[in-house]
Amino acid sequence: QNLTNITTPVTYTVTVTDANGCVNTDAIFIDVGSALMPDAGADTDICLGESHTLTASGGVNYSWDQGLGAGSTHVISPTVTTQYIVDVDDGGGCSGQDTVVITVNANPVADAGVDQTICLGDSVNISASGGTTYNWDNGDVTQNTNVSPAAPTTYCVTVTDGNGCPSAPSCVTVSLNPALSVIALSDQTICDGDAASISALASGGNGGP
């Protein structure tokens, strides 16, 4: 009797007759457990540096590869895309396995641009690159932001890419030229039609006094 194709519980009876015509019987009962359906979970994308919880189901005992060992759940932080295999058994001799792939996406690199120098009261546009969304520490969420600082100021931006992965901050400093001071010389009184000579003194700025 071929027992490998049994799908429902069944009893097999054997009858034996010896040379003297004596007869005896015995029986064996084959029970069929429910189908084992091991499940390692859905394939998942994560960003480099993030963790993920593997969760297996469908059995009683679980054993993972990649050095994880026993247990239905494990917290992992892979640095490269990795396939994990879990062996599952029902505690009654039936076993199976399933696999799950954790894809690790690299983080984008933000670039806030080069440092700028402006005159007090002027504004400058600083522009970032490297992502699909942008978040400046001055509250702007556009790729470009106009700033007009009253003192030398450093602006930092973080970006995220199409996978939702974040970057480390990138910063740019906006410096101010030294203040320019202008002083007109003393008032004058002239006769109607005469010429006047006027002059002024300037100090500061990039040009000096």
Side-chain angles (χ1 to χ4, degrees):
Q1 190 67 255
N2 184 356
L3 304 183
T4 59
N5 295 323
I6 297 174
T7 59
T8 58
V10 62
T11 298
Y12 290 93
T13 302
V14 60
T15 301
V16 178
T17 303
D18 65 12
N20 298 313
C22 297
V23 178
N24 202 356
T25 63
D26 198 6
I28 183 173
F29 175 70
I30 306 296
D31 193 12
V32 178
S34 58
L36 189 67
M37 300 181 65
D39 184 2
D43 293 346
T44 304
D45 284 25
I46 65 172
C47 302
L48 182 63
E50 290 182 344
S51 61
H52 175 73
T53 300
L54 294 174
T55 303
S57 62
V60 175
N61 301 307
Y62 305 88
S63 180
W64 295 85
D65 69 347
Q66 302 292 346
L68 298 179
S72 61
T73 63
H74 290 277
V75 178
I76 58 169
S77 297
T79 57
V80 296
T81 297
T82 305
Q83 175 181 270
Y84 296 86
I85 302 173
V86 62
D87 291 308
V88 180
D89 71 63
D90 64 0
C94 296
S95 63
Q97 66 176 206
D98 194 23
T99 63
V100 61
V101 176
I102 306 301
T103 300
V104 180
N105 295 307
N107 295 316
V109 177
D111 183 1
V114 298
D115 293 343
Q116 306 272 1
T117 301
I118 63 173
C119 297
L120 181 64
D122 287 349
S123 63
V124 66
N125 182 270
I126 52 178
S127 179
S129 61
T132 57
T133 64
Y134 298 82
N135 188 2
W136 292 91
D137 59 3
N138 67 352
D140 203 328
V141 293
T142 60
Q143 185 173 2
N144 309 306
T145 181
N146 284 306
V147 296
S148 182
T153 305
T154 297
Y155 300 90
C156 296
V157 64
T158 56
V159 307
T160 57
D161 62 13
N163 295 313
C165 296
S167 72
S170 177
C171 301
V172 60
T173 297
V174 177
S175 303
L176 299 180
N177 285 317
L180 179 64
S181 176
V182 179
I183 302 174
L185 298 185
S186 60
D187 296 341
Q188 299 182 39
T189 301
I190 63 171
C191 296
D192 185 19
D194 288 349
S197 175
I198 58 175
S199 61
L201 294 176
S203 62
N206 284 332

